[in-house]
């Protein structure tokens, strides 16, 4: 009788959830036990620095363990235990993009994207600045590498292989601090490998030996000697290590990675971190994938509390995490056929509690698609299309965040080519699209740097961060064609 009463209560809760338009999801733990997951009403929220706010969801059992991470690096910003039914959380004091992981008393997990920052009216070229990173700036990230409380910039140069660190003063100015030798660097990530609170550097070593390499940081900006780890031999074809993104793949506290390859092989490479900063690399084969560039993005696609990946090729593949260091399933969600690949974001663009997909292709433009929760997407918005001769979006970078403070997802897509000036020369530019609460987007506008440079096309990479400590999110862009890094402060 007792068991029957409990079951009836459970189904009453489930029925109430469905009546509110929410779909009930289960999560199977490693032990095989199935628990009711926490079901959110919205996975994306904008708050001001230091603001106290609540996250609303159904089910779940307190106390909750709440961990706040920086979105790009997964560096832990704070952790707390909350023993109330609906957690009240204080946002970090620094404007940035964060991911909040909530785990309840019986092991159910949910991830929220939190955008911390004050809204801005746009980005003006008048206040933009630029500085030189040598022959190229093939990847750019921000973070506090020397422990002084100010954002620094780290930039890769895959032409004359090196990683350069620029220390920030907190007012939007940066000075060159040091250069790290990085043979045949392709793409990099900044992460806290040892869970010690310090940002380390991990990158793919593409041409010479197909490795993942890393520098460990002591917290003051002093880096260890270089250590590299070999990728496994693919089952078929060849491998050239290419993109690398941080992700949690198992249940330990150390950040992991996924590496993709620009090759004829069918594999992606889960990379597990160990306590001493060592890396253990395996491989996971995805059948029928082509050999185009394989960029990737990270998010919980199927609302099971595990972080999955979107793999970018001529089409799009979702690979679902198994929570044990690899992937359990992969499937094609489609895209325009053709060369070029692209970047994407997993964000809840229509506020229904499930992550959707924003994606772009350097020939076929930007699109937004709603997650149907059944391994399919409904493409609802064509944001930009056609073969842009000079102004098409870059295939290397797409930034999704709330930049104007209206609690909706916006986009920054650095242009693949250039914004040509009639007076001679070119300048870094990006498409800027503001979002609406139904998942649609407004007509794009262009934002650009005032710096004019011959052949300043291929802006290529871009990120957002509060570089001048005013509580607003600014744009940082680098160029694959030359070494200029452009800074566009928010108005």
């Amino acid at each position: 009788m007792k068991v029957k009463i409990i079951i009836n209560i459970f189904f009453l809760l489930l029925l109430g959830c469905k009546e509110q338009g929410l779909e009930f999801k289960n999560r199977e733990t490693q032990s095989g036990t199935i628990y009711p997951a926490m079901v959110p009403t919205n996975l994306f929220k904008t708050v001001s620095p230091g603001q106290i706010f609540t996250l609303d969801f159904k089910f779940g059992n307190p106390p909750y363990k709440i961990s706040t991470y920086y979105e790009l690096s997964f560096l832990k910003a704070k952790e707390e235990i909350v023993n109330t039914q609906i957690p009240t959380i204080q946002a970090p004091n620094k404007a940035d993009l964060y991911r909040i992981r909530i785990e309840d008393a019986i092991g159910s997990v949910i991830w929220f994207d939190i955008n911390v920052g004050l809204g801005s009216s746009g980005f003006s070229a008048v206040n933009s600045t630029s500085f030189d990173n040598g022959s190229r700036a093939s990847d750019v990230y921000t973070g506090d590498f020397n422990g002084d409380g100010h954002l620094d910039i780290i930039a890769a140069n895959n032409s004359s292989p090196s990683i350069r660190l620029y220390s920030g003063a907190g007012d939007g100015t940066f000075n060159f601090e040091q250069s790290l030798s990085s043979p045949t660097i392709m793409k990099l990530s900044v992460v806290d490998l040892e869970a010690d609170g310090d940002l380390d550097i991990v990158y793919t070593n593409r041409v010479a030996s197909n490795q993942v390499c890393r520098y460990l940081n002591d917290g003051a900006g002093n880096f260890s000697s270089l250590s590299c780890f070999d990728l496994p031999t693919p089952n078929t074809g060849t491998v050239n290590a290419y993109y690398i993104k941080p992700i949690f793949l198992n249940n330990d506290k150390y950040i992991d990675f996924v590496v993709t390859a620009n090759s004829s092989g069918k594999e992606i490479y889960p990379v597990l971190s160990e306590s001493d900063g060592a890396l253990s690399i395996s491989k996971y084969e995805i059948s029928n994938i082509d050999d185009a560039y394989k960029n990737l993005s990270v998010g919980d696609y199927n609302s099971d509390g595990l972080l999955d990946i979107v793999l970018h090729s001529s089409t799009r593949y979702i690979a679902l995490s198994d929570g044990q260091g690899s992937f359990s399933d992969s499937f094609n969600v489609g895209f325009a056929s053709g060369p070029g690949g692209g970047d994407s974001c997993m964000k809840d663009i229509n506020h229904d509690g499930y992550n959707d997909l924003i994606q772009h292709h350097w020939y076929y433009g930007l699109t937004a698609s709603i997650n149907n929760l059944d391994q399919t997407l409904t493409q609802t918005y064509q944001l930009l299309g056609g073969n842009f001769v000079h102004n098409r979006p870059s295939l290397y970078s797409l930034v999704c965040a709330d930049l104007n403070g209206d609690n909706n997802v916006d986009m920054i897509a650095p242009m693949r080519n250039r914004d040509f000036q009639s007076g001679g020369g070119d300048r870094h530019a990006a498409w800027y699209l503001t979002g609406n609460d139904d998942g649609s987007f407004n007509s794009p506008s262009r934002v650009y740097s005032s710096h004019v440079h011959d052949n300043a096309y291929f802006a290529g990479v871009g990120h957002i961060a509060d570089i001048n400590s005013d509580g607003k999110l600014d744009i940082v862009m680098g160029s694959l064609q030359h070494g200029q890094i452009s800074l566009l402060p928010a108005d």
Side-chain angles (χ1 to χ4, degrees), residues 89-144:
I89 302 169
Q90 183 169 16
N93 292 319
K94 291 184 178 180
D96 213 314
L97 307 183
Y98 298 90
R99 278 187 169 147
I100 293 182
R101 181 184 187 272
I102 300 181
E103 181 176 356
D104 77 349
I106 61 172
S108 294
V109 172
I110 193 169
W111 289 87
F112 288 86
D113 289 327
I114 302 297
N115 200 133
V116 178
L118 306 174
S120 75
S121 58
F123 304 87
S124 173
V126 174
N127 298 320
S128 66
T129 58
S130 300
F131 60 89
D132 192 32
N133 188 56
S135 57
R136 287 187 180 183
S138 53
D139 219 347
V140 178
Y141 280 90
T142 60
D144 182 8

Side-chain angles (χ1 to χ4, degrees), residues 3 5 15 28 74 91 122 203 215 252 259 263 268 311 313 318 326 372 382 396 398 400 411 438 457 479 486-487 491:
V3 172
I5 292 173
L15 179 61
E28 184 173 357
F74 280 99
Y203 72 88
Y215 284 105
D252 65 16
V259 172
S263 66
I268 56 177
L311 188 64
S313 186
I318 305 290
S326 189
N372 296 324
Q382 180 78 23
Y396 294 99
L398 177 65
C400 303
M411 283 186 283
D438 63 353
Y457 55 93
S479 173
S486 295
L487 311 175
D491 295 337

